[in-house]
Amino acid sequence: NAGVTQTPKFQVLKTGQSMTLQCAQDMNHEYMSWYRQDPGMGLRLIHYSVGAGITDQGEVPNGYNVSRSTTEDFPLRLLSAAPSQTSVYFCASKTPGSEAFFGQGTRLTVV
Amino acid sequence: AQSVSQHNHHVILSEAASLELGCNYSYGGTVNLFWYVQYPGQHLQLLLKYFSGDPLVKGIKGFEAEFIKSKFSFNLRKPSVQWSDTAEYFCAVTPQGFQKLVFGTGTRLLVSP
């Protein structure tokens, strides 16, 4: 039972580069979300999805894109990386009436 | 918009001391409430949750929390902390019927041996 799997675990990007953070879950959860964690700011919601083909913006969506072509996968794309996007990124999934299950996180550094 | 406040940003305790971490939320309707823990270098794990029923909720590792609806609070408690409880603790809320989870800014707990 893998739960929520994120790849990569660590990534260093140069300013202006693009990349995709992968997130997959095997629990058939309809709801998936991406958070970023920064010191003293807790977890802030970037984007979320309530099902395949449906996505919406969270609290801090600028500079990020998402898509949800399948129930299992919810990739997060950084279009043109900036140092302000240096953070730890967590993917989560849940069903109605349950808690959220989190992936192991991706530590991203933009130089 | 919903918000969650955790007033203690850093807490330092000695082993065997009692712990209480405050959490208040702003939402007038029915909510689901959670406490998550993040050990150093790890992802978030659920400590306990409240959906309905008994407002005193017991979780893993001896933690408990009390939901006080009139105070919009969901404080976390543990009678006697251990060094292994050193971690960051997050309170989170979801309005019932919705899916979005809103987090507080977290409380870093350091337990000295």
Side-chain angles (χ1 to χ4, degrees):
Chain A
N1 186 4
V4 180
T5 303
Q6 286 183 240
T7 56
K9 287 188 168 53
F10 301 93
Q11 183 71 49
V12 179
L13 287 179
K14 293 183 179 179
T15 297
Q17 287 185 315
S18 62
M19 80 159 294
T20 299
L21 308 185
Q22 301 291 345
C23 176
Q25 53 95 4
D26 62 359
M27 297 174 283
N28 202 32
H29 287 170
E30 290 191 351
Y31 181 82
M32 296 185 73
S33 54
W34 277 101
Y35 292 87
R36 59 178 288 174
Q37 183 181 22
D38 302 291
M41 305 191 76
L43 280 83
R44 294 181 292 169
L45 183 65
I46 304 171
H47 285 285
Y48 65 97
S49 168
V50 298
I54 306 169
T55 63
D56 206 347
Q57 296 180 349
E59 185 184 356
V60 288
N62 291 343
Y64 307 95
N65 270 358
V66 291
S67 60
R68 185 94 179 270
S69 56
T70 66
T71 300
E72 294 78 19
D73 300 299
F74 190 45
L76 177 73
R77 297 182 187 85
L78 279 70
L79 308 172
S80 177
S84 61
Q85 294 178 304
T86 293
S87 187
V88 181
Y89 292 84
F90 287 99
C91 179
S93 73
K94 71 190 293 290
T95 58
S98 83
E99 70 270 25
F101 294 83
F102 286 84
Q104 296 284 339
T106 297
R107 186 173 293 274
L108 175 68
T109 302
V110 183
V111 298
Chain B
Q2 305 89 37
S3 67
V4 178
S5 297
Q6 291 182 243
H7 307 296
N8 313 102
H9 298 295
H10 293 90
V11 174
I12 301 174
L13 295 173
S14 299
E15 273 193 318
S18 64
L19 170 71
E20 180 159 4
L21 302 182
C23 172
N24 289 90
Y25 65 93
S26 66
Y27 182 73
T30 304
V31 294
N32 299 327
L33 296 155
F34 308 87
W35 275 98
Y36 283 86
V37 60
Q38 186 179 33
Y39 298 104
Q42 296 190 25
H43 65 298
L44 277 79
Q45 303 170 44
L46 183 71
L47 265 183
L48 47 79
K49 60 187 177 184
Y50 174 79
F51 281 55
S52 63
D54 189 345
L56 186 60
V57 179
K58 295 195 183 300
I60 61 171
K61 304 187 180 186
F63 286 91
E64 65 178 31
E66 184 175 14
F67 171 50
I68 303 179
K69 189 174 181 180
S70 61
K71 294 185 178 181
F72 299 90
S73 70
F74 190 55
N75 292 354
L76 181 71
R77 299 195 291 249
K78 185 171 184 179
S80 176
V81 295
Q82 301 172 319
W83 176 79
S84 57
D85 293 323
T86 293
E88 191 160 15
Y89 293 80
F90 293 94
C91 182
V93 62
T94 301
Q96 200 170 69
F98 291 84
Q99 295 273 40
K100 278 198 290 184
L101 201 56
V102 178
F103 283 87
T105 52
T107 298
R108 284 187 185 270
L109 172 65
L110 175 63
V111 180
S112 57

